[in-house]
Amino acid sequence: MSGSSAVSCSAPCRFAHYFVICGIDTETGLEPDDLAALYQWLEADRQGRDPGTAATGENFEQSPLKRTFKSKVLAHYPENVIGNPFDQDAVNMLCMPKGLSFRTQADQRQPQFHSFIITKEDGSRTYGFVHTFYEEVTSPQICSAMQTLYQMHNAEHASDNPPSSSSSSSMDSLASSLDEVDSPTSSSSLSSCRAAGSYDTSRDTLYVSKALCLITPMPFMHACRRFLSQLHKAVTAATAPPLPLESYIHNILYEVPLPAPGRSLKFHSVYEPIVCQRPGLGELPLADFPLAEAFSLLGVENLVQVFTCTLLEMQILLYSQDYQRLMTVAEGITTLLFPFQWQHVYVPILPASLLHFLDAPVPYLMGLQSKEGTDRSKLELPQEANLCFVDIDNHYIELPEDFPQFPNKTEFIQELSEVLLSFGISANGGAPSRTRNSPGSTPSTPSRECKTVTLWQLEDDGRNGNLAGEELSVLELLQGNTTLERLQALTKRTGVTVAHVDALRAGIKAQRAEGHGGRTVAEEEELRHAKLNVQLREVFASRFTAMFADYEAFVIQSAPDLESWLTNREQMHNFDKASFLSDQPEPYLPFLSHFIETQMFATFIDNKIMSQWEEKEPLLHVFDARIDKARLYNVRAPSLRSSNYQRCSNLKECAQAIEQRLMKINHTAIHPHLLDMKIGQGKYMQGSFPKLQADVLNTGPASNKWSHRMTTTPRKKDRHRQQTEHLNLENDLKEKYMQEARSLGKNIRQPKLSDLSPAVIAQTNWKFVEGLLKECRLKTKRMLVEKMGREAVELGHGEANITGLEENTLIASLCDLLERIWSHGLQVKQGKSALWSHLLHYQAREENLEQQQAESPACHVPERRKSDGSVSMPSLRVYLIQDMRHIQSMSEIKTDVGRARAWIRLSLEKKLLSQHLKQLLSRQTLTKKLYKRYAFLRCEEEKEQFLFHLLSLNAVDYFCFTSVFTTIMIPYRVVIIPIKKLSNAMTTSNPWVCVSGELGDSGIMQIPKNVLEMTFDSAFRPHTHISALFKCQNLGKLTTVQLGHDNAGLLAKWLVDCVMVRNEITGHTYRFPCGRWLGKGVDDGSLERVLIGELVVPSGEEESGRGWRTPPLQRSPTQTRRISITSLSGRGYKPTSAQIQEAIGEAVNSIIKHFHKPEKERGSLTILLCGENSLVAALEQFFYHGFKSARLFQKTMFVWDFVEKAVAYMESADQMGDLQETTEHLGMSCQSLYRYVSAINSTPRNIGKDGKFQLLVCLGARDRLLPQWLPLLVECPVILQMYEDTALLRDRTPVHALIAVLETLHDFPITLESSLVKGIDL
């Protein structure tokens, strides 16, 4: 037992954990693969039949040599390793993903190498390296069984050959494409005929695949490949190896340690020494897979695009005939993610039995083996809306739609290309790397000379008892004897070689060369690969160091201790995303806003927070050290971010570190040596791998210096752990919290390979359903918190705001989630979007029902939404299919994925997403037809919760459709509602309207006179209004309406209450209050007014949504304010001087805040200038304070009358010369005031006196003239006639304060909407 305990103790520091042999079990014979039965089960389930009654039987149609048979683990050593238990099913499946394959002497039988990875639930990985070769079948039972199968196959073909039925199932097409076996490429037509025709034991030699595998804790790919290749070569070589194979296997399992960090190690295989090195603690972690090959296969630009998809956690499917290519690209991409780590499903080689796993509604990175001649178009995948498909062999990728580019992509690709070119590798891809072996082949066979040299080195080592004293003395004799040397030269000239002596001489030469730093060709090649790998990785790492140099400043450290942080992990915000994004260069934002929402970034931040209480995660430790180093050399303020590309500066140093390690070997492992084996054991048989002796391979050495030295630390840790468990009873609870927190949001990393029963598949799908529901809950909560802000403020986030960029990212993420939910458990795949496919099925069904109902007398009327905000606006139909038709009519959208996303955005904006999806899923017969029993959409309870989470999004307003589809044509309905007073509800003049929004205006539209409508409210009171429908390009959020008429006819005066405008697609209704007259000789004589809009809350939401809604937009000044200012009796509300000054401060403050927001997030400046609580409104109050507006028996005076009189006085004084003594500056101010007032008065527009004052304020603010004009108006003697003594305008203190406040606007570029300045040329 001592041996086995040594195994367990030293396992963490051993180079290899297991040596495994997989192949055919001659005792059980030929067994059809279990996968066939699994396919039948899945197919029965798909068709709705009872899977238990699915027939099991042989597939007689396929040629026996092309069928897959069950492989088995024939042996593995040792039996078990503590901390890494042996998973027999998983290892067998990954060593031989296709099962056993048979060949005859007519077929190619090249050995192949591939690697695999097993990811455990805690995220740790174990690597497997597999050398597969073909071995002659010596069992007569197997040969005769194969012949019998051929006879049955031929009989089946002769009697009946039915055409194969095409299947609509995506999984079936996948399975069938994977069942086709590639025919040997270089075999002759005769041999291929024979291969397809029959197998005859008397004529043909049968070969079967066998796999040798090393399972290691770290990915030393090159070292394992060379070891296994030499082991196989020892079996096929003409002469027996120097030692039994058990010696070499025992040596690598028990006597070769893992290299220490920052050190190199040399160990010996059968023919050559093997060197490997491990990066130091401050360097990038070990990655031994050749990145040069990944870049050569895909090309630099394609690889960067796939890398970006990986960072954004999309679904990535690699596709290649070669298993090792799948592994190389998968490991290459995940290696480049430093300092981040892939957190989701990771299966670089997807065994055929796990094809149903492509149905997984989660981000994944998987590799699928293709077959020669399989067309990509025939490969139907369960979901493609968010899929990045990578066809490695054809150097071709398909990217998802709406895909943000990696920052500085062009310069980044340029730098990577330069690194590749410096190693002589083309950056364009397509051409394979010139240093790469052809896929699947073994490394080139070393020469006889090289082999003998390394044998000599191996034998001549004092540590393993294999001293070759005799040979050494022979060589010494030769070197000292000139006669013997001349004899040797003579034999050479006559063509006779003295091989043994030559080998000894070459060995001495090689030893000397090595002493001087000389390396073999293989070592040179390995060094070159290692240097290129690390330089490419450094370029990627430096991009992240530059992008996230200041990430620490935005980490929110809110918990006092680890336990409270872990307990509340899900509720807490750990990273200030809004502040981080506001600090980034504009070009980086599309990518970064998506990336900081990913699980890998969240885990990175979690690790950072936990590092204050426990040891830093290794990748984080390296990354933080790099940032600290960068700060020392490059001191800059975090706010001064620039998008200039920073090249990697440490390429030479990192390559030198590797070269130094490989030149100076730090440690040489114990050489392979004879083991204590019984006589007759370890017998050599050329051509077939021997049955190894388990008794010597299952136990490690009794005493091993390094194993004991390196295992004392774990023992100390164990003792310490036992003590703390006695001291702290809450440790278990804490550990539970930690595990839960670490797994938060993480999905199944790798499907369980050991048990593939239907029950396990069902369990896996149930985990997916739970994961989708949890993701939906977290996403909707995040969208609400970000949008509403209140909860975020309570959590300590300061000001509540969300940028359009973040909002767009969250909505895109919701679209992706819905696509994944609708793809889960799909029966029949149609198009790339599962959601749109379902909608189309629903539409076809409903339209068919509509047609039938139209023919029948009883007609179903769809629900209508109550009129928004007013009885006068006709109600809008709430109808899922109507929204679909809107989307289908948009010629701008070309794909199904695009249509589905547009429909989601429209439903979200209309607050109908949950209602529409509920309606869609209410047709249960359709859902059952489209989805398998385990699908998310057929889990009733989860579906209800999912719809409830989506319903919560109705609490906030989104403009995610209007703001994205800016070029589409939208119908708008305009309703003008007059105040019913005397006969002024009607007008004989010709009204016109112009609607403006953030994206443009409709232009002036004449409203025909015959559109007068009458509606009745709930009390049957009649209401008359003018209604018109027009179509124009999307105006965005509506801001202003210009309303006017031509003053024609007898009833030219018109008292308008408000104008209502509705977007007929989104249903958003805006109310533009007016409450004023339009007509000559009434009110201020205006024939047109500019009205500011407010979004109307739909009547059904007013009660339910109160307290939840986002704040309303500003609107045009209300009727009450206008009347109170100008009222004859002065009965209205009059603000105090303090309130007026406060209102001015708030109005100016709002404008300053507007300009401090990112440009895309600012909204309408017109509202801040002219709406309620705006600058114009506040200045009107200032000017009306103490104004003598009421005159007995005279018409009402307006502020504009005062401005005109003041300007007239200044003009006359200037002409008389009274102003000549004033300063030049004041004179210029006077001239600008005349010019602006005369330009406003001479405009062809009839905007009235209040409209003119509004225009003067807006132009003065735009051109920074208001502070210059105010002193002129204050000093003018006209003020004495028109203002009382107590007026603010006659008090110097508030006037100076007002000038100072207005001067603060000079720093900002105020631009005015065209609706305000139309007809003014200044």
Side-chain angles (χ1 to χ4, degrees):
M1 287 302 288
S2 63
S4 61
S5 66
V7 173
S8 63
C9 290
S10 59
C13 46
R14 278 176 16 214
F15 181 87
H17 284 179
Y18 293 101
F19 178 79
V20 187
I21 306 163
C22 294
I24 190 165
D25 185 350
T26 50
E27 290 176 13
T28 56
L30 285 183
E31 292 181 88
D33 203 345
D34 286 342
L35 313 187
L38 183 69
Y39 283 148
Q40 287 179 345
W41 186 88
L42 289 169
E43 173 62 9
D45 182 54
R46 189 186 73 76
Q47 293 175 354
R49 292 185 282 115
D50 180 11
T53 63
T56 55
E58 296 279 346
N59 176 10
F60 291 117
E61 283 185 35
Q62 202 171 32
S63 164
L65 281 180
K66 290 185 178 181
R67 290 180 208 165
T68 53
F69 294 93
K70 189 189 281 187
S71 63
K72 286 193 178 169
V73 173
L74 303 178
H76 69 276
Y77 312 103
E79 281 296 325
N80 214 12
V81 170
I82 291 175
N84 183 18
F86 187 74
D87 187 341
Q88 184 153 314
D89 293 318
V91 171
N92 179 38
M93 194 178 283
L94 291 166
C95 280
M96 302 190 117
K98 291 183 290 187
L100 292 172
S101 56
F102 285 87
R103 296 279 188 272
T104 65
Q105 75 283 355
D107 301 311
Q108 278 194 329
R109 299 188 308 281
Q110 286 287 343
Q112 294 201 338
F113 173 84
H114 79 269
S115 37
F116 63 80
I117 194 167
I118 295 176
T119 312
K120 298 178 194 166
E121 285 191 8
D122 64 353
S124 61
R125 293 173 175 181
T126 304
Y127 294 85
F129 301 97
V130 187
H131 182 92
T132 309
F133 59 97
Y134 284 90
E135 196 175 68
E136 188 178 337
V137 178
T138 53
S139 161
Q141 290 91 344
I142 302 286
C143 293
S144 61
M146 182 58 75
Q147 185 157 8
T148 308
L149 283 175
Y150 253 106
Q151 287 164 355
M152 290 164 76
H153 166 70
N154 291 338
E156 182 79 13
H157 258 260
S159 63
D160 176 40
N161 192 5
S164 59
S165 59
S166 62
S167 169
S168 58
S169 165
S170 53
M171 280 300 148
D172 294 345
S173 63
L174 263 177
S176 60
S177 72
L178 288 174
D179 285 340
E180 296 164 16
V181 175
D182 43 333
S183 58
T185 49
S186 60
S187 59
S188 65
S189 57
L190 175 70
S191 61
S192 53
C193 277
R194 179 188 288 182
S198 64
Y199 159 74
D200 189 342
T201 46
S202 60
R203 182 191 64 204
D204 297 314
T205 309
L206 191 64
Y207 295 88
V208 67
S209 54
K210 182 174 268 189
L212 307 179
C213 171
L214 270 181
I215 291 176
T216 65
M218 296 189 78
F220 289 105
M221 195 269 289
H222 284 99
C224 293
R225 183 173 192 161
R226 288 175 65 189
F227 176 83
L228 293 170
S229 164
Q230 290 185 48
L231 209 58
H232 175 230
K233 195 175 156 223
V235 175
T236 54
T239 54
L243 295 167
L245 294 184
E246 284 87 345
S247 297
Y248 304 105
I249 294 164
H250 183 274
N251 178 249
I252 201 166
L253 284 178
Y254 302 109
E255 295 166 339
V256 178
L258 276 175
R263 298 300 180 96
S264 54
L265 166 82
K266 179 168 155 185
F267 66 94
H268 291 79
S269 183
V270 187
Y271 301 114
E272 295 177 334
I274 295 169
V275 175
C276 57
Q277 57 88 30
R278 185 174 169 188
L281 295 173
E283 297 175 60
L284 294 175
L286 176 69
D288 205 25
F289 288 85
L291 282 173
E293 187 173 343
F295 275 93
S296 297
L297 286 167
L298 293 181
V300 179
E301 183 163 5
N302 279 352
L303 193 131
V304 168
Q305 295 283 56
V306 176
F307 171 72
T308 311
C309 287
T310 312
L311 283 170
L312 299 177
E313 294 187 339
M314 294 171 173
Q315 292 178 323
I316 294 133
L317 184 64
L318 310 176
Y319 193 60
S320 172
Q321 289 186 57
D322 190 302
Y323 289 130
Q324 186 57 16
R325 282 185 175 185
L326 293 172
M327 193 72 186
T328 298
V329 173
E331 277 295 290
I333 288 167
T334 50
T335 295
L336 297 172
L337 294 174
F338 169 88
F340 308 103
Q341 291 169 287
W342 180 255
Q343 299 294 324
H344 300 278
V345 175
Y346 182 65
V347 192
I349 297 172
L350 187 68
S353 57
L354 290 179
L355 284 181
H356 64 280
F357 221 76
L358 289 171
D359 199 13
V362 291
Y364 59 65
L365 202 168
M366 295 203 246
L368 186 64
Q369 198 213 18
S370 64
K371 295 297 175 203
E372 193 176 349
T374 304
D375 187 6
R376 158 70 181 105
S377 61
K378 291 177 187 169
L379 183 71
E380 285 187 6
L381 299 162
Q383 46 193 338
E384 296 182 58
N386 207 37
L387 180 77
C388 172
F389 181 80
V390 185
D391 188 339
I392 298 172
D393 300 339
N394 296 313
H395 326 293
Y396 158 77
I397 62 172
E398 285 175 21
L399 295 170
E401 293 178 29
D402 304 331
F403 169 67
Q405 297 299 321
F406 192 72
N408 298 113
K409 185 179 137 194
T410 310
E411 297 94 328
F412 184 46
I413 287 172
Q414 178 64 30
E415 186 176 8
L416 290 168
S417 303
E418 286 171 19
V419 172
L420 287 164
L421 285 169
S422 69
F423 284 83
I425 293 166
S426 163
N428 298 327
S433 163
R434 66 179 178 83
T435 57
R436 193 173 53 79
N437 289 315
S438 62
S441 67
T442 51
S444 55
T445 310
S447 65
R448 180 87 184 165
E449 180 186 7
C450 188
K451 180 172 76 176
T452 324
V453 171
T454 48
L455 267 173
W456 178 85
Q457 278 184 298
L458 189 151
E459 288 165 352
D460 184 38
D461 189 284
R463 281 168 297 185
N464 66 357
N466 293 340
L467 277 173
E470 194 183 327
E471 284 85 352
L472 203 57
S473 58
V474 167
L475 199 60
E476 282 169 359
L477 176 69
L478 275 172
Q479 285 171 333
N481 192 316
T482 51
T483 313
L484 283 173
E485 281 188 344
R486 279 205 302 275
L487 268 172
Q488 195 190 359
L490 181 66
T491 57
K492 265 192 180 177
R493 280 201 298 275
T494 56
V496 180
T497 56
V498 190
H500 193 54
V501 176
D502 277 67
L504 289 174
R505 197 183 289 281
I508 290 288
K509 197 184 283 182
Q511 192 180 32
R512 285 177 184 158
E514 196 173 319
H516 289 91
R519 287 181 291 272
T520 64
V521 177
E523 285 169 347
E524 275 293 343
E525 197 58 43
E526 207 164 306
L527 172 63
R528 191 166 163 280
H529 268 298
K531 283 162 78 171
L532 174 56
N533 260 21
V534 77
Q535 289 196 4
L536 288 168
R537 292 172 68 206
E538 284 290 347
V539 173
F540 279 83
S542 75
R543 292 308 305 126
F544 287 124
T545 309
M547 272 193 275
F548 293 96
D550 302 313
Y551 86 95
E552 235 172 308
F554 304 100
V555 175
I556 300 168
Q557 306 271 15
S558 51
D561 56 69
L562 179 60
E563 197 167 327
S564 65
W565 181 81
L566 291 168
T567 311
N568 302 308
R569 164 70 192 88
E570 201 173 317
Q571 284 75 40
M572 292 178 114
H573 284 250
N574 295 333
F575 192 72
D576 188 350
K577 294 175 182 176
S579 302
F580 173 75
L581 289 174
S582 68
D583 196 38
Q584 303 308 310
E586 184 79 19
Y588 289 14
L589 294 178
F591 169 79
L592 285 175
S593 63
H594 280 77
F595 178 65
I596 61 174
E597 296 295 333
T598 59
Q599 185 61 47
M600 72 174 80
F601 185 76
T603 305
F604 173 76
I605 297 299
D606 285 354
N607 287 337
K608 178 67 184 173
I609 290 170
M610 285 200 284
S611 69
Q612 62 188 317
W613 299 296
E614 53 181 44
E615 197 179 345
K616 244 186 203 179
E617 197 266 336
L619 295 184
L620 181 67
H621 177 79
V622 176
F623 188 65
D624 282 354
R626 284 165 175 252
I627 288 176
D628 294 341
K629 187 180 174 186
R631 283 210 187 104
L632 284 173
Y633 292 111
N634 180 21
V635 181
R636 59 167 178 72
S639 57
L640 301 175
R641 298 306 306 259
S642 92
S643 58
N644 293 338
Y645 187 77
Q646 298 170 3
R647 293 175 77 87
C648 183
S649 56
N650 63 331
L651 292 180
K652 281 185 182 171
E653 295 92 314
C654 62
Q656 281 167 358
I658 284 182
E659 190 161 11
Q660 283 165 6
R661 272 200 294 274
L662 287 175
M663 282 177 73
K664 186 188 173 191
I665 305 298
N666 302 110
H667 181 76
T668 303
I670 300 169
H671 284 228
H673 51 85
L674 281 169
L675 300 170
D676 186 14
M677 291 166 68
K678 298 185 183 108
I679 295 170
Q681 287 185 341
K683 207 165 102 183
Y684 172 75
M685 262 180 67
Q686 187 188 351
S688 66
F689 200 83
K691 187 175 181 182
L692 301 174
Q693 303 306 312
D695 52 347
V696 292
L697 290 179
N698 274 329
T699 54
S703 65
N704 191 331
K705 274 187 270 183
W706 57 263
S707 75
H708 282 294
R709 186 179 72 244
M710 295 176 81
T711 53
T712 50
T713 325
R715 281 179 193 154
K716 279 181 193 168
K717 281 184 180 171
D718 283 348
R719 280 200 296 274
H720 176 68
R721 186 171 55 76
Q722 284 163 3
Q723 287 168 358
T724 54
E725 275 175 359
H726 287 297
L727 292 169
N728 186 4
L729 294 171
E730 292 184 353
N731 236 16
D732 290 345
L733 183 70
K734 184 176 172 183
E735 189 60 33
K736 176 174 164 275
Y737 280 136
M738 286 183 72
Q739 287 305 321
E740 282 179 4
R742 284 180 177 140
S743 64
L744 182 72
K746 290 178 189 172
N747 294 296
I748 303 163
R749 292 172 184 273
Q750 180 170 326
K752 193 168 169 60
L753 304 179
S754 44
D755 180 10
L756 283 171
S757 64
V760 169
I761 293 172
Q763 180 63 27
T764 306
N765 278 306
W766 184 245
K767 283 185 181 175
F768 285 147
V769 168
E770 287 180 326
L772 286 170
L773 188 61
K774 185 177 185 181
E775 193 179 344
C776 181
R777 177 169 57 80
L778 293 173
K779 271 194 169 60
T780 49
K781 182 181 177 183
R782 171 85 202 284
M783 287 171 77
L784 282 170
V785 169
E786 291 286 1
K787 191 76 172 164
M788 291 166 63
R790 186 171 302 163
E791 195 173 338
V793 173
E794 285 170 5
L795 288 167
H797 279 256
E799 205 173 314
N801 63 344
I802 178 170
T803 65
L805 187 74
E806 275 184 282
E807 182 180 304
N808 212 25
T809 304
L810 291 172
I811 290 166
S813 171
L814 178 70
C815 292
D816 166 41
L817 173 65
L818 292 178
E819 278 293 359
R820 285 191 277 120
I821 285 173
W822 256 258
S823 299
H824 184 238
L826 193 61
Q827 292 265 34
V828 181
K829 177 86 189 315
Q830 290 181 357
K832 288 197 172 185
S833 167
L835 174 58
W836 190 251
S837 172
H838 193 170
L839 284 166
L840 289 174
H841 277 102
Y842 175 84
Q843 184 182 22
R845 188 189 169 98
E846 291 299 301
E847 285 174 349
N848 192 25
L849 281 170
E850 267 182 25
Q851 201 173 348
Q852 290 170 14
Q853 283 171 352
E855 291 163 7
S856 66
C859 186
H860 168 71
V861 180
E863 177 192 346
R864 289 181 176 270
R865 260 201 182 174
K866 285 184 185 173
S867 147
D868 291 348
S870 165
V871 290
S872 305
M873 184 66 90
S875 57
L876 196 64
R877 195 181 185 194
V878 176
Y879 194 30
L880 187 159
I881 290 178
Q882 188 61 44
D883 288 348
M884 282 186 70
R885 287 171 187 155
H886 286 313
I887 302 301
Q888 285 164 330
S889 67
M890 289 164 60
S891 58
E892 294 85 350
I893 306 174
K894 311 290 183 193
T895 64
D896 284 355
V897 174
R899 288 183 193 100
R901 290 188 176 187
W903 182 84
I904 293 166
R905 284 175 177 276
L906 177 58
S907 303
L908 192 59
E909 187 164 323
K910 294 179 81 169
K911 302 190 178 187
L912 291 171
L913 183 59
S914 180
Q915 186 180 329
H916 277 349
L917 293 177
K918 189 174 184 178
Q919 196 177 338
L920 176 67
L921 296 170
S922 65
R923 301 287 184 263
Q924 291 192 351
T925 48
L926 179 62
T927 311
K928 282 179 181 175
K929 179 184 162 191
L930 294 177
Y931 289 91
K932 298 173 186 170
R933 281 178 301 180
Y934 62 76
F936 181 93
L937 297 178
R938 288 185 64 183
C939 300
E940 289 303 318
E941 195 176 321
E942 285 69 26
K943 185 175 74 179
E944 287 301 317
Q945 288 181 53
F946 156 72
L947 292 170
F948 177 76
H949 291 315
L950 291 182
L951 184 64
S952 67
L953 295 175
N954 290 6
V956 290
D957 296 325
Y958 283 104
F959 290 87
C960 48
F961 179 82
T962 308
S963 59
V964 168
F965 300 102
T966 54
T967 58
I968 62 170
M969 296 300 286
I970 288 182
Y972 291 92
R973 180 175 293 279
V974 177
V975 177
I976 301 163
I977 301 165
I979 292 176
K980 193 177 179 234
K981 184 177 179 184
L982 305 174
S983 62
N984 300 111
M986 294 170 64
T987 178
T988 54
S989 53
N990 300 299
W992 57 266
V993 72
C994 175
V995 182
S996 300
E998 291 177 354
L999 302 175
D1001 66 57
S1002 63
I1004 287 176
M1005 291 173 299
Q1006 297 293 336
I1007 296 172
K1009 289 181 184 177
N1010 58 355
V1011 294
L1012 191 67
E1013 291 182 10
M1014 184 173 282
T1015 54
F1016 293 88
D1017 63 15
S1018 55
F1020 290 97
R1021 289 188 295 257
H1023 291 267
T1024 38
H1025 57 264
I1026 290 172
S1027 175
L1029 192 69
F1030 67 92
K1031 203 169 189 178
C1032 67
Q1033 190 167 310
N1034 186 358
L1035 302 175
K1037 289 183 192 174
L1038 303 188
T1039 53
T1040 62
V1041 160
Q1042 295 167 66
L1043 174 68
H1045 63 77
D1046 61 358
N1047 203 40
L1050 293 170
L1051 297 173
K1053 295 169 186 173
W1054 196 22
L1055 184 56
V1056 176
D1057 178 35
C1058 67
V1059 176
M1060 308 287 289
V1061 182
R1062 182 172 67 200
N1063 179 324
E1064 293 292 281
I1065 290 181
T1066 65
H1068 281 313
T1069 306
Y1070 295 81
R1071 187 171 186 272
F1072 297 84
C1074 177
R1076 307 279 303 263
W1077 286 92
L1078 278 88
K1080 289 284 184 189
V1082 66
D1083 204 333
D1084 64 346
S1086 172
L1087 287 181
E1088 67 172 89
R1089 296 198 183 277
V1090 178
L1091 310 176
I1092 312 297
E1094 59 173 334
L1095 187 66
V1096 175
V1097 185
S1099 53
E1101 287 177 41
E1102 282 174 352
E1103 283 71 37
S1104 61
R1106 194 168 291 149
W1108 287 76
R1109 284 183 48 73
T1110 39
L1113 291 171
Q1114 298 292 333
R1115 52 184 183 269
S1116 56
T1118 53
Q1119 185 187 356
T1120 48
R1121 181 175 72 77
R1122 292 284 190 191
I1123 291 169
S1124 72
I1125 289 166
T1126 59
S1127 65
L1128 295 166
S1129 60
R1131 278 187 307 224
Y1133 162 73
K1134 285 189 177 177
T1136 63
S1137 58
Q1139 287 172 330
I1140 291 169
Q1141 286 171 292
E1142 189 183 341
I1144 288 171
E1146 283 180 6
V1148 171
N1149 205 17
S1150 297
I1151 294 170
I1152 292 169
K1153 278 184 179 177
H1154 168 89
F1155 283 103
H1156 277 289
K1157 289 178 186 173
E1159 198 170 338
K1160 291 176 184 172
E1161 323 304 338
R1162 288 176 185 169
S1164 172
L1165 183 61
T1166 308
I1167 288 164
L1168 301 178
L1169 290 171
C1170 308
E1172 197 166 24
N1173 306 323
S1174 65
L1175 182 64
V1176 169
L1179 285 176
E1180 266 188 356
Q1181 288 182 340
F1182 192 93
F1183 273 85
Y1184 272 115
H1185 187 265
F1187 184 60
K1188 299 175 183 175
S1189 59
R1191 306 289 176 90
L1192 203 60
F1193 307 119
Q1194 291 181 20
K1195 63 179 181 180
T1196 305
M1197 298 295 285
F1198 291 86
V1199 173
W1200 186 251
D1201 294 322
F1202 163 63
V1203 173
E1204 282 185 317
K1205 285 191 176 184
V1207 169
Y1209 173 82
M1210 283 182 248
E1211 272 188 299
S1212 61
D1214 188 20
Q1215 285 163 6
M1216 292 166 68
D1218 291 359
L1219 289 177
Q1220 283 174 355
E1221 296 164 14
T1222 58
T1223 61
E1224 187 185 341
H1225 176 68
L1226 206 57
M1228 285 179 69
S1229 300
C1230 277
Q1231 286 170 9
S1232 68
L1233 186 57
Y1234 313 149
R1235 197 156 58 85
Y1236 277 70
V1237 170
S1238 61
I1240 290 168
N1241 274 329
S1242 59
T1243 177
R1245 295 170 66 189
N1246 294 296
I1247 52 176
K1249 290 178 180 179
D1250 279 349
K1252 287 175 180 178
F1253 179 74
Q1254 175 175 289
L1255 190 50
L1256 183 70
V1257 172
C1258 290
L1259 291 168
R1262 182 191 74 180
D1263 300 336
R1264 302 178 179 131
L1265 294 169
L1266 285 179
Q1268 296 172 27
W1269 292 343
L1270 266 173
L1272 295 175
L1273 296 171
V1274 168
E1275 298 297 331
C1276 180
V1278 177
I1279 199 170
L1280 302 172
Q1281 302 163 22
M1282 301 190 73
Y1283 281 87
E1284 293 165 6
D1285 295 346
T1286 55
L1288 281 171
L1289 210 54
R1290 291 182 65 177
D1291 186 343
R1292 289 186 177 275
T1293 309
V1295 169
H1296 286 309
L1298 175 61
I1299 290 168
V1301 166
L1302 291 173
E1303 280 174 344
T1304 59
L1305 295 177
H1306 289 189
D1307 299 333
F1308 307 105
I1310 291 174
T1311 52
L1312 301 178
E1313 239 183 74
S1314 59
S1315 61
L1316 293 176
V1317 293
K1318 200 178 282 181
I1320 301 287
D1321 187 21
L1322 283 168

